[in-house]
């Protein structure tokens, strides 16, 4: 008999990237608001860098710090993808895999109902099963992305549907409806390390397949009303329950005013700009453009004559030897019309400002949700991972326009940047993007629907416990 009257204890074990940690914490907060207990497991430094919880949630969410094991070629104190250059992330995965034993000890010593894990720990489902704990793969990647990547057998290399990179540029056989959702060839060239073995010993694709194969249910960030056909694909290819948790809009954390001085000067500048005149430019914590791309983006912003606020991350952590630089004289030539910020910036606050009229983005889904939340049309410039697939979805739904690129190498020109910004923000031809972003807002920001998803998830979790 199900223990519906009892409060659940859920352990959450996200991957060591803030694009994963934050959506996991958002879901943890929604569950904690219902009175259930969360143990949020990560490394000490990552937990210290997370936004502060509001007092009403602090008693329900316990942070569990597991020190990251030392691994050759991984710098000391590097605990998140944002700390290291892209080619060092494979060693972070190796260290993360070494958390299997300490996580197991924590699970053994705690009364746990469910383990929620991310797409990297291919071993987590097996650990949970051996301990008699139910497990959920919580995907922060969208249903179209996961649906396109396919069933576990394909991901783990057991079904040779995709033997070459070109196999990722066409619609796979398990998708029966017309769609443009597929990688472009240059995107797969940039993602080629995901399908091959790396120094962690396990390819990303194999990891994805194993986490899906070994879990009891799949929990996914998404909304059935926004993408119903993709949820059906997931049900078909996974052959296990797939439960949506909504888009998880970012509600500002209590204690966010720690950086009030930084925000104040930004707000002062934005306050002086005309309504809808500023393009906000930011590419998240993972994507780092090349030096040539930065040069073309800068020259494009200059050519566009548009006001801009650019959050430019010049290096991935202190061990990144390639520090990005702006074109000579760029800041002087655009002085008064634009800001380049190379430190932390409060994205949600910037996007909510009336002066911002468009968002040049990498297509990371958290950024997309924040843009929709604030009705800002999207100019898309994908770089890696799932961003290209996200961009196809946004193009299909007329929520964003992709900057034209060379199909062979993905290179961009300043003209393409300038024209894309003006199209989406100013020209009549881009009115569809400005209007569509407002039309879809209710699918992302409807609190009643969000509550319903969480209630249904918790009902399922309570009804399907191992030790009832």
């Amino acid at each position: 008999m199900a223990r519906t009257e009892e409060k659940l204890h859920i352990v959450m074990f996200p991957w060591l990237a803030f694009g994963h940690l934050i959506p996991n914490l958002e879901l943890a907060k929604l569950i904690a608001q219902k009175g259930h207990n969360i143990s949020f497991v990560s490394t000490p430094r990552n937990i210290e860098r997370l936004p502060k919880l509001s007092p009403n949630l602090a008693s329900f969410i316990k942070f569990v710090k597991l020190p990251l094991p030392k691994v050759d070629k991984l710098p000391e104190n590097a605990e998140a993808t944002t700390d290291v250059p892209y080619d060092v992330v494979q060693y972070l995965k190796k260290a993360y895999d070494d958390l299997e034993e300490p996580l197991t000890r924590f699970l053994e010593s705690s009364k746990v109902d469910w383990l929620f894990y991310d797409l990297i720990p291919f071993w987590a489902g097996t650990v949970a099963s051996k301990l008699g704990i139910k497990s959920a793969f919580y995907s922060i990647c969208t249903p179209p992305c996961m649906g396109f990547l396919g069933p576990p057998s394909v991901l783990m290399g057991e079904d040779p549907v995709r033997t070459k990179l070109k196999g990722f540029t066409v619609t796979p056989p398990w998708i029966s409806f017309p769609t443009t959702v597929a990688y472009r060839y240059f995107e797969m060239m940039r993602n080629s390390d995901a399908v091959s073995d790396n120094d962690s010993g396990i390819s990303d694709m194999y990891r994805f397949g194993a986490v899906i194969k070994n879990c009891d249910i799949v929990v996914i960030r998404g909304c059935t009303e926004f993408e119903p056909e993709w949820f059906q694909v997931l049900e078909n290819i996974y052959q296990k329950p797939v439960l949506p948790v909504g888009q998880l809009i970012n509600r500002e954390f209590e204690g966010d005013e720690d950086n009030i001085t930084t925000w104040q000067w930004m707000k002062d500048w934005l306050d002086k700009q005309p309504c809808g005149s500023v393009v906000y430019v930011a590419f998240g914590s993972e994507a780092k453009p090349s030096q040539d791309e930065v040069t073309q983006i800068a020259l494009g912003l200059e050519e566009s004559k548009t006001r801009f606020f650019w959050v430019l991350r010049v290096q991935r952590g202190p061990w990144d030897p390639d520090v990005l630089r702006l074109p000579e004289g760029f800041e002087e030539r655009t002085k008064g019309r634009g800001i380049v910020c190379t430190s932390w910036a409060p994205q949600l606050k910037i996007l909510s400002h009336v002066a911002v009229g468009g968002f040049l983005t990498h297509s990371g889904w958290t950024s997309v949700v924040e843009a929709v939340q604030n009705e800002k049309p999207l100019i898309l410039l994908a770089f890696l991972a799932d961003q290209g697939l996200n961009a196809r979805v946004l193009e299909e739904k007329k929520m964003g326009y992709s900057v034209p690129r060379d199909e062979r190498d993905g290179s961009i020109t300043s003209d393409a940047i300038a024209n894309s910004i003006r199209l989406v923000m100013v020209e009549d031809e881009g009115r569809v993007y400005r209007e569509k972003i407002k039309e879809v807002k209710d699918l992302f920001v409807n609190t009643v629907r969000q509550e319903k998803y969480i209630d249904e998830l918790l009902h399922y979790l309570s009804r399907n416990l191992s030790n009832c």
Side-chain angles (χ1 to χ4, degrees), residues 386-404:
D386 58 348
Q387 295 163 12
L389 299 178
N390 291 344
R392 301 300 99 73
V393 173
L394 298 167
E395 292 162 7
E396 277 191 354
K397 294 181 179 291
K398 300 295 184 186
M399 294 165 61
Y401 175 81
S402 284
V403 175

Side-chain angles (χ1 to χ4, degrees), residues 296-310:
Q296 295 304 318
I297 292 165
L299 296 176
L301 288 169
E302 188 175 347
E303 287 176 32
S304 73
K305 307 298 183 189
T306 307
R307 292 171 174 83
F308 62 88
F309 192 110
W310 185 3

Side-chain angles (χ1 to χ4, degrees), residues 115-179:
L115 171 65
F116 277 43
Y117 60 84
D118 213 326
L119 50 70
I120 297 299
F122 62 98
W123 40 267
T126 303
V127 167
S129 179
K130 286 179 180 176
L131 297 176
I133 298 169
K134 289 281 191 173
S135 67
F137 162 48
Y138 172 35
S139 173
I140 61 106
C141 298
T142 63
C145 172
M146 298 307 296
F148 175 80
L149 291 178
S153 59
V154 170
L155 291 163
M156 298 172 77
E158 297 165 7
D159 187 341
V161 172
R162 289 172 171 147
T163 55
K164 297 179 181 177
L165 292 184
K166 282 191 175 180
F168 290 86
T169 66
V170 296
T171 304
W174 54 84
I175 296 175
S176 60
F177 49 86
T179 180

